[in-house]
Every structure is written in C-alpha cells, then in structure tokens.
Amino acid sequence: MPDDMPPAPGELSAEPGEPLLPIPQEDDEARPAPPNGRPTALDPDQMGFTPRRAVPWLSPVLLSGTAVRVVLADLFGAYLDKRELQDALSPRILREAPGYAGAVTDDEWPDTGELWVDYAADTGDGFNATYSVAYLLAQPSLTVDGHELPRGEVLVLGGDQVYPTASGGQYEDRFKGPFRAAMPEPPAEGPRPRLYAVPGNHDWYDGLTAFLRLFVRGDEGSIGGWQTRQSRSYFAVELPNRWWLLGLDVQAGAYIDDPQLRYFRSVAARLGPGDKVIICPPSPSWVEATDDRKAYDSLDYFIRTIIDPTGASVPLMISGDLHHYARYSRPGRELITSGGGGAYLYPTHELPDQIAVPPVRSLVRNASPSLQYKLQSAFPTKRQSRGLAFGVFWRLPWRNPMFLGLLGLLQTLTMLAFVNAADRVLSGVEQRLVTVPAVLMVIVDLLGTCMLAMPRTAGQRRPRHWILGFLHGLAFIGVATLGTWAWLNLPFLTLVWPLPLLIAIVLYLPLSAVAAGELFALYLLIAAKFDVNLNELFAGQGITGYKGFLRLHFKPDGTLTIYPLGVRRTGRHWHAAPEAAPGSPWFVPGRPMDVHLIDAPIELR
C-alpha cells in the first residue's frame, strides 16, 4: 500500500495527534484476554500501553510544544545536566561473551568466541514502524539473501528512543510497549538478550530523567525479554577477540563531561595496540560537520585524547539521528549512519559524495589530520530519495491537515485585510489607518516564513536562509493578493455582515489552505536544493518505509562482519497470536516483511 493512502480495514488508524487504535474486526470485539496474559487484539487494556500513530511533525500544537521544550533544554540544559550526578553511580566496565548467563570472573572470561550484536536507532515513533523493527530484532533468526543471521545476543540502541519529547508515558507507549510486545519474555532456549542505549537529543528534552529510569538500572532492569545492564547514560563493553564497544553521551552535541571522561580513561587503561574500538555517538557528527564546523569537535577530542594514546584503533563508528542508512569509508575506518529504527525517513539525495573528517576548517587548535571519506552506499538510494521528495505534494496535505488549516487561516486573514484596505481606498476614504491590518499581516507572513527557513543555531544562518524565507513570504502574500482580486470581483462585498466573513471561512479558507499547502510543498522542494528545510521536506511527509538496522557478527578469528538489513515497506496489518509461546511476539504481520541486505556485508579485521 502506498504511504500516502488511508489504511484498509483491520489496519491501524487514527486522526492526527490521537492515540493509534485498531479498527475493530468482527472476531475481535469483546474477546477477553486468555489466561496466559497474551492479548487477543490491539487493545490498550490488554496490552498495557496505547499504540500511537506516527508523530505529525507539522502539527501547530506539536510544533509549539516541542519548540518550548527545545528552548528550555537549550537554556537550562547546563543547569539540569544529570551526567555530573552520575559520578555517584557505579562506573561499571561491562563484558559480553557468547552464551552470557550472568557476571563472569577474569578466569571465566572467554577471550575468543562468536558473538552476534544488533544495532538500531531512532525508535519510538509510530507503532507500525517501531513494532516492525522490534519484531524483526526479536526473531530467533533471519534468512536474508542466502545468509542465516541469528538474533543478536546484545542489542545496542543508538539514541532517540522516543519521539517527540521524552516522558514516562511517551516511552511506555512509543518504545517500551512495542518492544515488550515483540519479545514479551526471555527466550525459552539460549541466553537472555541484553540491551544498551545511548541517549539522543530527544531523550534529553526532559533532562534525561525518563531515560535514566528506564535504561540505567543495571542488571535489575528489563524491557520485555531484553535485560538492561548499563549503570550510567554511557557505557563501555568489552567483547571477545579484543573488540570494544563504547557508547557516548554527548548532551545535545555540547561536550563530554568530566565524570564521563574519567570513566573512559579507566577504560583506556585496559586498551593497547591491537585492540579494536567501536564508538557509538548519538549523532553522525562526521556528516553534520559539513554545515557546522564545531559538530565533530567533541568526538575528535575523545578519539585524539582517550583512544589514540593507547595504540588501539577505531575501525568503526556507528550512529543514528539521521533516519536513513549511509556509509562513508576509507581504508581503516567505516562511518555508518543507521537511523532506521522507526522514525520518519530522512533523505539521502543531498548527502555529499565525499566528506573531510575532521572538517578542514575546524576551529580546534590541535585537531586530528583531516582525511577524505567517500560515500559508499545509502538506503534509500539517492535516486529513490529524489523520487520520494516529490511525494511532498500529496503526502504533506494528507499527513498534516491541522498545518494546512493554519496556512488557510493566515491566508484568509491576509486576504480580508487586503480586501478591507482596497475597499476603503476604492471608496475614496482618505484614511491611512485602513492599511494597518494589511501591513501587519504582511509582516506576520514574512516573519513567519523567514523564521521557518532559519536553522536553530545562529552561527549556521547564511544569506540563502534569508533569501529563501523572504521569497517564500512574497509568494505566500502573492496567493493572498490573487485571492483579494478574486474576492473583489465576486458579489460578496455587497452582502450583509457577517455573511462575507462566513463565506470566507466556509469557501475561501479551505481553498486557500490547499493552495498555500501546495506552495509550501513547492518551497520545501526548492529550498532543499540549497540545504534549507531539508528535514521539514521529509518530516512533513511522514514516510514510514525504508527502515532497517545492523547485525554485527564477531567471529572467533577476530573478524567483524556487518550485515546492514532493511525493509522497504513496514508492517501495517497485525494479527494477534494469543496461543503462541510466551516469548513469541504478541502480533504477527498480515504479510511477511521483505527483509534484504541494503549494502554488501562489510568485513573488518
């Protein structure tokens, strides 16, 4: 089913901003839950959480609420930084081994062995996409393009576990509930899978409070069948065959705090030449540095001062935050973005073919030598991404009716202000104040479009942002001007008040909303060519397909093979499985999801 079409009977549906509830089916109504506790339908009372639809990112209510939280996080983040307080928590350096069944001593620790690890990021959006990825992660094994890939004994979550902002309720409905539904209990056979999480910027919007309560509970915590183990918002995991996995907590791209640096220095004391380190930051700062020269500074400082002096190598860095798959590489290091865990698709067609890491114009005095990395693969491909971008003309209006209503309201107010001024002037009324409402609406329209085009960080604002925002505002006013001309040529002015106002609301507002929505879509398509509002171009479409994750295979000979897995179309129609085994998913897809390799297996030694 195309992403822009309404759901069919039996699929999940809801009005924008409302809980995601099932469309009842004849055999689902009034069916009680079985004694084993497994639900018989997508019923919140049976599941213990409310499945949610994908976040409508252009909803005016959501935008205003999220903007307030972002501003508060920026203003008070330094004062509410809980990383300093974590210095009182146990600085555990963790270990993972094949068949892990609890703590191991140095004598019992296997320095060799085969281990499978999964990596997913940017989960916790709409139920369909998030549960699709969780369902695949929970499967005992996946057969993909001739490769038999067992489930990872370890699951690493790369940030932004919930959207749009962190809270206990959002985590429950958008992340914990879907993952618990995918694996309600530990597997009956084999070791219990373990879970580690890196906080992203959305996890930080409540000061990291909900994240710490959910993930930082040591071996006592669990999310369905997965066991949490970390004791801080960052972690270091020793793997067999001299591999290490380090998860960093860089609060909103700010800095790495002193307690965290001390923790990783204690980890570095155990590293030496021949050790191989995988670093998992919360965002792909190697790509972001193309626009923000400071983006890579913290990660470069970490590698240069903590890892490099030990003689260990960093052959791999993995991150989420950008909701797609992209791999940049050069001999000796792979830089992978894998953010397909459930959030809306982010485009790939504007990714540079080459990047310099660190950026050549880095402001750091002792930065590492700048090296060139080449884009090797992306999912969706650049060609697919360009094609999806044009879907903005029909997906944006369909996904964001409240936003269209706001545009229509602004158009109607602007048109009425213009009509009022024109009618007074044409009637010979020599009064300057009659143009004040029209001037105010012009200012509001231009200010709104210019603010839309501006990036959050003042240092990133360029002339192109002002030019595109101003031109968009002029075009928006141009639509209102055409509406004014049409209104003056229709017999509405002669009607008795308030009939003209009612006609404007009933007739003009819907038509102008559609026209302004299509103009906004055209603006996004053009602005994206100049790297302006690229995120909004795809956030407004809310494309739920093109999801994926990484499955890492650590072999006994020390080789690491990475299998990037993806699905073009996520599940939309779910059937309850009340009689299945306790550890099996509560719901199975109506039709199998086509999992495939989105990049050739990547082998690191």
Side-chain angles (χ1 to χ4, degrees), residues 374-579:
K374 183 179 179 181
L375 180 64
Q376 300 291 344
S377 180
F379 178 71
T381 65
K382 287 193 173 187
R383 181 177 180 180
Q384 291 171 330
S385 180
R386 290 190 188 95
L388 292 169
F390 283 94
V392 68
F393 291 106
W394 60 87
R395 290 195 191 97
L396 187 145
W398 176 259
R399 305 283 190 189
N400 304 277
M402 291 183 64
F403 181 71
L404 255 67
L406 175 62
L407 295 180
L409 177 62
L410 290 174
Q411 275 287 325
T412 301
L413 293 176
T414 304
M415 182 273 292
L416 291 176
F418 286 0
V419 167
N420 176 64
D423 183 49
R424 297 293 184 88
V425 172
L426 292 175
S427 301
V429 177
E430 297 181 0
Q431 191 175 10
R432 296 179 181 178
L433 289 178
V434 299
T435 60
V436 169
V439 172
L440 287 177
M441 288 310 304
V442 168
I443 293 174
V444 168
D445 294 340
L446 289 176
L447 186 61
T449 54
C450 287
M451 289 179 62
L452 172 71
M454 295 299 144
R456 283 179 50 194
T457 305
Q460 298 180 22
R461 294 169 186 170
R462 302 288 183 267
R464 66 176 182 270
H465 297 101
W466 293 101
I467 294 171
L468 287 167
F470 185 75
L471 292 177
H472 180 206
L474 289 181
F476 189 86
I477 295 169
V479 172
T481 303
L482 289 175
T484 302
W485 174 82
W487 190 269
L488 291 173
N489 285 276
L490 293 170
F492 298 145
L493 287 176
T494 60
L495 299 178
V496 179
W497 183 263
L499 288 179
L501 178 62
L502 295 177
I503 292 175
I505 295 174
V506 174
L507 181 62
Y508 184 82
L509 193 151
L511 294 176
S512 64
V514 173
E518 293 303 299
L519 173 64
F520 183 69
L522 178 62
Y523 159 77
L524 291 178
L525 200 62
I526 295 173
K529 296 293 183 181
F530 300 91
D531 198 23
V532 175
N533 291 129
L534 183 61
N535 180 61
E536 287 75 13
L537 173 63
F538 272 66
Q541 297 188 58
I543 298 172
T544 58
Y546 298 92
K547 297 295 175 277
F549 58 93
L550 304 179
R551 183 149 286 178
L552 288 71
H553 184 199
F554 295 87
K555 299 180 181 179
D557 62 359
T559 302
L560 167 61
T561 303
I562 306 168
Y563 297 92
L565 307 180
V567 289
R568 183 182 178 277
R569 190 189 302 274
T570 56
R572 293 174 59 90
H573 192 184
W574 303 100
H575 297 289
E579 305 301 330

Side-chain angles (χ1 to χ4, degrees), residues 82-239:
K82 291 183 174 63
R83 294 178 304 174
E84 301 284 350
L85 301 177
Q86 293 180 56
D87 201 20
L89 301 177
S90 172
R92 298 173 60 191
I93 299 175
L94 301 148
R95 286 175 161 177
E96 288 291 352
Y100 170 85
V104 293
T105 65
D106 289 338
D107 294 337
E108 297 172 327
W109 172 253
D111 57 1
T112 60
E114 182 181 46
L115 183 68
W116 291 84
V117 175
D118 288 336
Y119 178 94
D122 301 284
T123 56
D125 197 333
F127 178 84
N128 283 334
T130 298
Y131 184 74
S132 294
V133 174
Y135 175 85
L136 294 173
L137 289 169
Q139 295 302 299
S141 180
L142 295 173
T143 302
V144 183
D145 297 346
H147 301 275
E148 189 67 25
L149 308 178
R151 176 180 56 221
E153 286 192 37
V154 176
L155 171 59
V156 179
L157 299 175
D160 288 345
Q161 277 67 244
V162 68
Y163 294 91
T165 54
S167 68
Q170 293 283 18
Y171 271 113
E172 184 67 35
D173 289 344
R174 294 187 179 274
F175 169 75
K176 187 177 180 180
F179 269 72
R180 185 174 68 246
M183 188 190 291
E185 298 181 14
E189 299 181 358
R192 182 177 189 177
R194 287 79 67 192
L195 182 149
Y196 302 89
V198 172
N201 61 307
H202 288 268
D203 300 296
W204 262 100
Y205 285 161
D206 71 338
L208 214 62
T209 300
F211 179 92
L212 295 176
R213 290 175 179 171
L214 182 60
F215 296 104
V216 184
R217 301 180 59 188
D219 293 329
E220 298 179 356
S222 65
I223 297 172
W226 286 277
Q227 178 184 17
T228 62
R229 297 196 62 208
Q230 67 197 82
S231 59
R232 296 188 179 187
S233 61
Y234 43 89
F235 55 84
V237 182
E238 183 180 2
L239 306 174

